[in-house]
Amino acid sequence: MPTPYTKLVIEHFKNPHNVGEIENPDVKVTEGSPACGDMLTLYLKVDPVTHKITDIKFKSFGCASNIATGSIITDLVAGKTVEEALKITWKDAAEALGGLPPVKIHCSVLAADALHSAVEIYMEKEGLVKEKNPTKMETVFQKLTHVIDPNTGVDIVKSKIIKGVKIENGIIFIEVDLKENDQFAANVKEEILERLGYLWDIKEVKVSFSK
Amino acid sequence: MNTIIYLDNASTTPTDKRVIKKMLPFFSENFANPATKWTSSLSKLVDEEVEQARLNIAKLLGADPDEIFFTSGGTESDNTALKGIAFKHHDRGNEIISIPIEHEAVLKSLETLEGFGFKIKFARVDSKGFVDPEEIKRLITKKTILVSIMHANNEIGTIEPIEEIGKICRERDIYFHTDAVQTVGHIPINVKSFNVDLLSLSAHKFYGPKGVGAIYVRKGVKVKPFMDGGGQEKGIRSGTLNTTGIIGLGEAARLASEEMEQTESDVKKMRDLLWDKIQKQIPKVYLNGAEIDSRLSNNLNIIIKGIRNEPLLVALNERGVIAGGGSACAAGSKYPSHVLKSIGVKDNDIFGALRITIGKFNKIEYVDYVVQSLNEIVNSLRDLSPFWEGE
């Protein structure tokens, strides 16, 4: 059956590599949101001495090319150090798949974004970040745009449930406009901690709920 | 499997071979333009066939032949009805009533009219896609000139209470248009008992060729044509007649009149079997729209929890099964269906919507293969999905 996809895309889509979860991963990130239609969760396990990626797995709620890109990008990363992995772009992934239809580019970007986020978080965690700029509000908000509000399906900045952010003496205070017992509150908190918890000059992240 | 199992018949249908046979002589053997029928015997012959086609459609709708005008299809008919009434009768008022689950041809026409100063009011639909005629009644004011409500929805197959709405409009002397693109040739229609003033239809939705359709305009109802030209079709639709298309449409209409009942019963049988087996074999699958027995017999629109429809459709296609996500017209768009949104389906779920629409050329023997393929693909996509937490 001819489709706009290359044979390789279909091959990776039908039998994706590195699918699943990793127990106790060094990093787990989710990019995208169900509201925009594509979502990809990436798990990384990294060797603490060599900083080589020893295991990588993904899950996808996305289109065929999102699944194929997840598969190929996890292939490309295998055995590389985290710094090498940072250099892998969506173009590398698209090329490795023999090209993607133009309308599907954003799907490959999503997989590359997930990889970069995961590596950045790992590097922050391990103190591998070279340029140590003090954390500013901008950085915090930029990172929060990667956290999805499951109630609306868009990120928590866009959905306006961030009521207040304060950085004080190495502590980030975040006030979230959700009920403490909201079914997604724990989930949102966990994701915020994952995104902000490893900045080099931040000792603690305090998330409070205010509805 | 090398056979293609085409289950997207609401998007378009294959042209019936009998229809093609009827059309073929009018390409090269008799290619004449019916407009010159007074002086050319060739034209006279084509004209007779065109008029036969008009009669066949009139019969199918319970209309008179001089109330049928040929167009290029459903979209043109919808545009003609809405803009034609609005621009002709704007002195009577500027309000138009419709529903949010209409086809884009209606919604976009209304948007254009809004730009010209018309006020568009949308009546709500319930979680099954039904509009309440009482709400139409409430929305009507002295300024209302037109109500446009689709006969059946193209995505979820909900059949609207057209007769009641028609009655409300007729009593108040308000024009009533219905987009019947999904129903003409499929279920019985009578423009008189429906009390409609304008009705849109399209040939390729009922085994006719693409690029041709018609609009019913009740005798005495005036519309302003939006194409200027040689005044064909009594000025309502200028342009040399698409004779082959029209003759094909006429033949499709004739076949539908004769075979509708049998076709619908076959289609329903297959649709019901498919739904029954899907429900039994695949967990967490839900029906969108009206109950299975109060929607179009060919339509199945379901939410499959935990997955997206795009990879599902790609994988089904790999196995020779062609189905749909939402409406085919919006398939290129990454935005979720406006129809499913309007009936309150959540975004997450909309992305997992699968539309299967059966046609008269589908074979019931393939149901098992389709359900088995669907089951396997859904399982593997659910394994991949971060949203799937098991049954």
Side-chain angles (χ1 to χ4, degrees), chain B residues 291-328:
Chain B
E291 305 299 336
I292 201 77
D293 286 322
S294 51
R295 60 166 69 205
L296 286 179
S297 309
N298 65 358
N299 175 286
L300 195 58
N301 189 316
I302 54 179
I303 292 293
I304 303 174
K305 283 275 187 188
I307 67 163
R308 272 201 64 181
N309 57 20
E310 198 268 5
L312 172 66
L313 295 171
V314 174
L316 279 171
N317 180 66
E318 284 295 305
R319 293 173 185 234
V321 180
I322 297 176
S327 97

Side-chain angles (χ1 to χ4, degrees), chain A residues 1-3 5 10 13-14 16 19 34-39 41 58-65 67 104 106 152, chain B residues 2-4 306-308 310-312 314-315 317-320 334 336 347-348 351-352 381-388:
Chain A
M1 296 285 131
T3 67
Y5 295 119
I10 294 291
F13 160 62
K14 278 162 81 176
V19 168
C36 71
D38 283 295
M39 209 174 115
T41 305
F58 81 101
K59 282 202 152 189
S60 158
F61 177 77
C63 59
S65 56
I67 295 167
K104 295 295 176 187
H106 78 277
T152 57
Chain B
N2 287 320
T3 318
I4 288 180
I307 67 163
R308 272 201 64 181
E310 198 268 5
L312 172 66
V314 174
N317 180 66
E318 284 295 305
R319 293 173 185 234
K334 72 194 263 290
D347 281 354
N348 272 10
F351 283 110
L381 287 175
R382 278 175 172 172
D383 283 344
L384 248 168
S385 168
F387 288 126
W388 180 246

Side-chain angles (χ1 to χ4, degrees), chain A residues 172-191:
Chain A
I172 303 176
F173 297 88
I174 295 183
E175 207 181 327
V176 182
D177 194 18
L178 275 182
K179 284 184 193 143
E180 183 116 39
N181 60 358
D182 184 283
Q183 55 168 333
F184 297 120
N187 192 280
V188 167
K189 184 174 174 177
E190 190 191 320
E191 291 225 6

Side-chain angles (χ1 to χ4, degrees), chain B residues 103-132:
Chain B
H103 187 271
E104 281 79 0
V106 167
L107 294 177
K108 297 281 176 187
S109 292
L110 293 175
E111 225 175 275
T112 298
L113 288 170
E114 209 169 20
F116 280 94
F118 289 91
K119 194 175 161 195
I120 315 301
K121 291 178 171 177
F122 286 105
R124 276 168 307 159
V125 292
D126 66 15
S127 63
K128 294 183 165 120
F130 288 111
V131 64
D132 179 0

Side-chain angles (χ1 to χ4, degrees), chain A residues 81-102:
Chain A
T81 66
V82 285
E83 284 188 343
E84 287 165 343
L86 259 190
K87 290 181 192 133
I88 295 170
T89 64
W90 64 268
K91 276 188 183 150
D92 297 330
E95 270 168 31
L97 287 169
L100 280 171

